[in-house]
Amino acid sequence: MKHTTFSPKCAIILALLCAVTHLLANNKHEVRAVWVTTIGGLDWPRSYAQSTHSIEKQKTELRDMLDRLKLANINTILLQTRVRATTIYPSDIEPWDGCMSGFPGKSPGYDPLAFAIEECHRRGMELHAWVVCIPIGKWNNYGCRELRKRRPDLVKRIGDEGFVDPEKKASADYIAQICEEITRKYDIDGIHLDYIRYPETWKGRIDPQRGRGNITRIVERVNEKVKTIKPWVKMSCSPVGKHDDLTRYSSRGWNARTKVCQDAQAWLANGLMDQLYPMMYFQGNQFYPFAIDWNENRNERIIAPGLGIYFLSPKEKNWDVEVVSRQLHFLRDEGMGHAFFRCKFLLDDVKGLYGIVKDEINNVPSLVPPMPIPTRYAQNTTMPQQPAQLTLKRGKGFDRLVWTDNKAFPQANGDYHLFNIYASESYPVDINNPDNIIATRTTNCTIDIPTKGKGVSMHYAVTATDRYGRESTAATTPAPSSTSDREIPGMLICDGKRLIIPEKAVASDAEFIAIESAAGNIIATRPYSTTSVDVSKIPQGFYVVRSLDRKGAVHRLGFFILRRK
């Protein structure tokens, strides 16, 4: 393959243009997930619930975690719900895990899953119930021991570990029964299957085709049970990070399809999975080519590679934080989401990662992309209609929006509308610009928006979304009484030939400006060296102006209307 080289300055410009283009094109819809591990309280809980006081302490731990994740614009929580043949909710099938109360088999005195769902939804986040499928722990540990008593026909011993045997047809029914119980009892947004594969310690040779059939049988049964009850609940799993060997790159003997019988790309193609979170805990040529392979075989569904941020720890592989930062930029450039394993390493800000994610990568909110409608289970679904009767009341220090839901016949069992709120100094509000998102997935039909210190009156738009993530057109607050260019905040002066831009701050390292169309396409770039820019060769229209620096940081300077007599 022939490789092209660029001068350092040219390379910087290309990188900045790429960053801006994809920030605008992809950022509104993007899965940004984190795994919250409950086994042993690795991520949560950090204390046991054994009294009224300690229950509240445990709840406060989760609230604080979710608040910080929300600040980093994380929109999807993968919460470990089935642990090792044990659960963190009151199940009629399996016993309590000891991570919540400190005692295996004992309730913590509240329902942690119901609480977590409520708190996530309060913050506009999705919660997916993370179900560990095949491993059931040490042979004599509580979960494995209890399952052996009840269903010895399902359990296989390998060394000192117990596993649900994927070769038994009844295993598929059993795991599906657990997922059915969770889906029926809780307002979850997804079922996330983990370790849905053969153990690497499996004794004897596995015929790949037969093995894939055994694992796929489990996925099929779970999908059927979940989608029959709530077709909008997303099905996902975390396959091994490399699907299979590639033409030019070997998986080095560790891959999903051949080694452990996860036919994950086929699951996307036939609709058994809505999302994949491949565990791509690698770097270099063991990461990028395999990420592209996942993306090229996504079948219009969602790929959000899991990043092994625990390798940043000096106790692990002591990765440089730039390894993860580059991977995040690459995934966005390719239109994929991202997921962090594990929550603790993100919130502990190992090597400054939390600050990078919050301030650079996810510096604006994002909506979870809409999912394809599973037509086998969901018939006659209609697009959500925009909210009705939107009113704005400006108060002292806040703006109050009130609207009504246009869903004519709200369905039972969790099929309801959610609402996204947008705000902008300019009118009309551009709902395709993620900079304008101020609230997501709210269930209320009213919101108070703080305005103290803003100094300008904001314009608002509200959209409705259904549980599949499809968004309505926007209801907007009334248009301003005057639309003179000079009276619209953020409007730059342009005489049709020259554009006046703000003087660059002394401390700013911005080097270029980008002039973009309303659709987000870059029309022209100019050095950021003067306050006057030649726009005489740009067609008439509405444009946005942004500054770019060497690190790819993007800031909006304003917008202008180009008219010529």
Side-chain angles (χ1 to χ4, degrees):
M1 178 181 292
K2 184 178 179 180
H3 295 277
T4 303
T5 58
F6 300 97
S7 69
K9 184 174 182 180
C10 183
I12 290 171
I13 294 173
L14 288 173
L16 294 175
L17 293 179
C18 184
V20 175
T21 301
H22 287 285
L23 176 67
L24 293 172
N26 299 326
N27 210 41
K28 179 178 174 178
H29 291 98
E30 183 175 75
V31 169
R32 302 167 178 177
V34 64
W35 280 281
V36 176
T37 309
T38 57
I39 187 170
L42 288 176
D43 291 323
W44 178 72
R46 296 190 296 271
S47 61
Y48 295 128
Q50 299 173 345
S51 65
T52 302
H53 173 75
S54 57
I55 289 173
E56 187 55 35
K57 180 181 179 182
Q58 195 174 88
K59 289 181 175 181
T60 298
E61 291 171 0
L62 184 63
R63 290 191 192 101
D64 291 345
M65 286 174 56
L66 295 178
D67 283 344
R68 294 192 64 206
L69 292 171
K70 179 67 175 178
L71 284 174
N73 287 313
I74 298 297
N75 57 28
T76 303
I77 304 298
L78 308 172
L79 177 66
Q80 193 171 33
T81 300
R82 185 192 191 226
V83 186
R84 293 293 186 272
T86 51
T87 68
I88 66 162
Y89 68 94
S91 171
D92 296 327
I93 303 170
E94 293 188 326
W96 284 97
D97 191 80
C99 66
M100 307 307 301
S101 69
F103 301 100
K106 183 178 179 180
S107 167
Y110 76 109
D111 187 335
L113 180 56
F115 172 74
I117 292 169
E118 181 181 358
E119 292 298 320
C120 284
H121 288 180
R122 192 191 310 277
R123 292 163 177 79
M125 297 171 164
E126 290 193 356
L127 185 138
H128 297 214
W130 163 10
V131 174
V132 181
C133 296
I134 303 297
I136 53 176
K138 297 292 184 182
W139 189 252
N140 288 314
N141 279 6
Y142 185 72
C144 183
R145 196 170 66 241
E146 291 299 305
L147 186 56
R148 283 161 44 204
K149 290 178 185 177
R150 291 180 288 109
R151 294 297 304 270
D153 58 310
L154 302 182
V155 180
K156 182 180 181 69
R157 182 170 185 169
I158 305 175
D160 63 349
E161 301 277 343
F163 298 88
V164 173
D165 190 344
E167 299 193 338
K168 300 289 183 66
K169 291 184 179 180
S171 295
D173 293 327
Y174 183 75
I175 295 172
Q177 184 183 9
I178 293 167
C179 296
E180 178 186 18
E181 179 185 54
I182 296 169
T183 305
R184 193 176 298 280
K185 291 174 64 173
Y186 295 96
D187 188 20
I188 55 170
D189 300 288
I191 288 286
H192 177 66
L193 303 181
D194 183 30
Y195 215 114
I196 183 70
R197 61 180 174 87
Y198 273 77
E200 56 268 38
T201 54
W202 190 265
K203 303 299 183 182
R205 181 182 178 278
I206 305 169
D207 176 76
Q209 185 171 351
R210 180 168 168 268
R212 287 193 290 270
N214 291 332
I215 300 300
T216 297
R217 178 173 59 221
I218 300 172
V219 176
E220 288 172 340
R221 290 294 290 140
V222 173
N223 180 282
E224 179 184 21
K225 289 291 186 182
V226 169
K227 297 292 188 180
T228 298
I229 302 167
K230 296 175 182 176
W232 58 85
V233 168
K234 298 178 177 70
M235 283 289 302
S236 72
C237 70
S238 49
V240 168
K242 305 163 195 172
H243 180 65
D244 216 333
D245 289 333
L246 304 178
T247 303
R248 294 183 58 195
Y249 297 94
S250 168
S251 64
R252 298 178 179 176
W254 184 240
N255 59 67
R257 187 173 187 271
T258 300
K259 181 66 177 179
V260 295
C261 303
Q262 292 177 306
D263 208 1
Q265 290 182 358
W267 299 341
L268 288 179
N270 58 28
L272 293 177
M273 289 288 166
D274 301 302
Q275 301 176 333
L276 290 185
Y277 297 83
M279 300 181 292
M280 302 199 67
Y281 309 157
F282 320 109
Q283 57 175 311
N285 284 342
Q286 291 297 296
F287 178 87
Y288 295 101
F290 294 94
I292 291 171
D293 178 61
W294 286 114
N295 204 35
E296 289 179 343
N297 292 279
R298 68 194 300 173
N299 278 280
E300 300 183 352
R301 298 179 190 273
I302 302 303
I303 304 291
L307 306 182
I309 61 172
Y310 64 100
F311 282 145
L312 294 171
S313 170
K315 296 180 180 179
E316 294 286 344
K317 294 189 176 181
N318 201 26
W319 280 1
D320 190 287
V321 73
E322 282 298 313
V323 171
V324 177
S325 179
R326 284 194 297 269
Q327 291 177 349
L328 287 165
H329 281 291
F330 171 81
L331 295 176
R332 175 158 300 158
D333 188 56
E334 293 295 318
M336 290 183 271
H338 55 261
F340 297 111
F341 186 81
R342 294 184 285 114
C343 181
K344 180 180 187 299
F345 294 91
L346 178 62
L347 294 187
D348 282 355
D349 198 23
V350 177
K351 295 186 176 177
L353 178 64
Y354 176 79
I356 291 172
V357 172
K358 180 173 73 71
D359 299 328
E360 297 180 24
I361 305 295
N362 295 346
N363 59 326
V364 295
S366 181
L367 306 182
V368 174
M371 62 180 283
I373 305 296
T375 53
R376 177 183 173 188
Y377 302 101
Q379 287 96 28
N380 302 320
T381 60
T382 57
M383 284 291 292
Q385 298 182 47
Q386 71 178 46
Q389 300 174 323
L390 175 63
T391 60
L392 166 64
K393 180 180 179 182
R394 300 198 189 273
K396 189 175 182 180
F398 70 93
D399 285 344
R400 175 168 294 169
L401 296 176
V402 180
W403 63 90
T404 58
D405 188 354
N406 240 337
K407 191 175 179 73
F409 303 102
Q411 301 296 310
N413 210 19
D415 182 13
Y416 50 80
H417 274 169
L418 301 154
F419 303 97
N420 302 320
I421 320 298
Y422 302 82
S424 175
E425 295 178 15
S426 59
Y427 187 92
V429 180
D430 181 4
I431 66 169
N432 293 312
N433 184 350
D435 290 345
N436 294 335
I437 300 172
I438 61 171
T440 62
R441 293 174 51 84
T442 178
T443 56
N444 296 325
C445 288
T446 181
I447 186 172
D448 287 345
I449 303 163
T451 59
K452 187 176 181 180
K454 289 188 176 179
V456 295
S457 295
M458 303 296 287
H459 307 286
Y460 299 100
V462 181
T463 62
T465 67
D466 60 15
R467 296 304 297 273
Y468 301 99
R470 301 179 300 175
E471 191 172 26
S472 74
T473 55
T476 60
T477 50
S481 57
S482 172
T483 56
S484 168
D485 293 359
R486 301 293 183 86
E487 294 178 343
I488 302 177
M491 186 68 73
L492 303 175
I493 298 173
C494 180
D495 63 5
K497 295 182 179 180
R498 307 295 299 181
L499 169 68
I500 307 301
I501 60 174
E503 184 175 356
K504 184 168 64 172
V506 175
S508 172
D509 58 357
E511 292 196 4
F512 306 95
I513 66 164
I515 299 173
E516 304 148 4
S517 68
N521 299 316
I522 295 178
I523 303 301
T525 59
R526 301 286 189 271
Y528 197 169
S529 56
T530 67
T531 59
S532 176
V533 177
D534 181 5
V535 293
S536 60
K537 295 183 180 180
I538 295 176
Q540 296 187 97
F542 178 87
Y543 297 97
V544 180
V545 183
R546 298 181 188 270
S547 67
L548 319 172
D549 69 17
R550 286 179 174 269
K551 296 181 180 179
V554 182
H555 300 283
R556 189 177 74 183
L557 299 178
F559 44 91
F560 68 99
I561 298 173
L562 186 54
R563 300 189 186 99
R564 298 188 182 93
K565 296 181 181 180

